[in-house]
Amino acid sequence: LHAIQKRMNEKGTKSKKSSNEPLTDREREVLQLVCQQLTTDEIAEKLFISERTVEAHRGNIMKKLQAKNMAELIKKAMNMGLLES
């Protein structure tokens, strides 16, 4: 019984790690464009979404990465390997 519980716990841990992606695909797109110094309006136009939606994504990214400002956001994103080269 102990061996079964141990295996189940290990499986649970593995599945949590693989699904532990901090940002959605759209948030990653917005983050990439922010790092390219695009404005909210430019990002909205490029992604065919409203400026308000861009701002919401940016806020969610800041919250998820626990960044207080854009400089900290970019630094954390780089350290986490979230930015494409």
Side-chain angles (χ1 to χ4, degrees):
L1 182 64
H2 181 67
I4 294 171
Q5 286 176 332
K6 184 177 178 182
R7 264 195 261 150
M8 288 184 75
N9 284 339
E10 287 172 358
K11 284 183 181 180
T13 303
K14 287 178 185 174
S15 65
K16 284 180 187 173
K17 284 182 182 176
S18 64
S19 67
N20 194 18
E21 184 62 38
L23 301 178
T24 65
D25 290 341
R26 182 60 103 184
E27 288 168 345
R28 280 176 164 261
E29 281 182 292
V30 170
L31 178 60
Q32 288 292 330
L33 297 172
V34 165
C35 291
Q36 292 174 20
Q37 301 177 14
L38 271 65
T39 66
T40 299
D41 184 48
E42 292 168 332
I43 294 170
E45 192 174 312
K46 189 171 187 93
L47 298 179
F48 304 103
I49 58 178
S50 73
E51 290 179 38
R52 192 168 178 161
T53 302
V54 173
E55 291 168 1
H57 285 308
R58 188 182 287 131
N60 290 337
I61 296 165
M62 299 276 289
K63 201 177 293 182
K64 286 180 178 183
L65 299 186
Q66 299 175 346
K68 296 179 190 98
N69 55 49
M70 282 297 154
E72 185 178 19
L73 175 71
I74 293 168
K75 182 179 177 183
K76 285 186 174 196
M78 288 176 64
N79 289 338
M80 295 174 76
L82 297 175
L83 301 176
E84 297 173 4
S85 301

